[in-house]
Amino acid sequence: MDTFLEAAIQEARDGLAEGGIPIGSVIVHGGRIIGRGHNRRVQKGSVTLHGEMDAFENAGRQPASVYREAVLYTTLSPCAMCAGAILLYGIPRVVVGENRSFMGEEALLRSRGVEVEVLQERACIEMMQQFIAARPDLWNEDIGRPREEP
């Protein structure tokens, strides 16, 4: 398994251990992690601290050129908010652990020129399936809620 995806998975596990939703992310530039994070909605009472947003927050202010050369790893397909941040900061490549539990805005990212690679990593799938089965109430508060058909 990729070292950086392993780091994102560890972030997800850390979030779960804190009583939160197990989604983790890391931002990599030049072969090193510059930002790491996990979903902290529960822990911080936040509506915006998804795993990717936490990784951006922890990466801090970087020159635009850094983000334009970075890769974002996330254990779960990015939602609309996180995809927006990826586009805003010009991240050119996103590696997704899995999208079976939730299909995020991969089509939007691809339509805007972002390379999206989905790995369907067993550890990511199993962690989310176990969490959703154990805590459907928490999962359905946010991105897990069934989407309305247009």
Side-chain angles (χ1 to χ4, degrees), residues 31-150:
R32 70 178 186 86
I33 296 172
I34 61 168
R36 59 176 63 232
H38 52 269
N39 189 300
R40 294 179 195 261
R41 287 182 49 252
V42 174
Q43 301 91 312
K44 299 282 188 176
S46 172
V47 297
T48 58
L49 276 181
H50 287 191
E52 299 90 338
M53 301 302 281
D54 194 39
F56 275 116
E57 182 68 19
N58 291 324
R61 290 182 61 201
Q62 300 286 335
S65 60
V66 169
Y67 285 121
R68 285 194 302 261
E69 297 171 349
V71 179
L72 184 141
Y73 289 76
T74 182
T75 58
L76 188 65
S77 187
C79 73
M81 175 179 65
C82 296
I86 289 164
L87 294 173
L88 178 67
Y89 291 103
I91 301 284
R93 182 167 180 252
V94 175
V95 178
V96 177
E98 70 110 340
N99 64 7
R100 292 181 186 169
S101 301
F102 174 77
M103 173 56 78
E105 299 297 330
E106 295 170 24
L108 171 63
L109 291 171
R110 287 185 179 111
S111 78
R112 298 284 296 274
V114 177
E115 177 189 343
V116 179
E117 180 181 1
V118 181
L119 303 178
Q120 303 302 11
E121 175 60 45
R122 179 181 302 279
C124 296
I125 295 167
E126 289 176 357
M127 187 169 18
M128 285 311 303
Q129 286 177 344
Q130 291 169 6
F131 174 77
I132 292 166
R135 295 296 313 271
D137 56 322
L138 187 51
W139 174 245
N140 289 323
E141 276 183 19
D142 191 24
I143 65 171
R145 70 186 182 286
R147 291 189 178 195
E148 298 293 323
E149 294 298 321

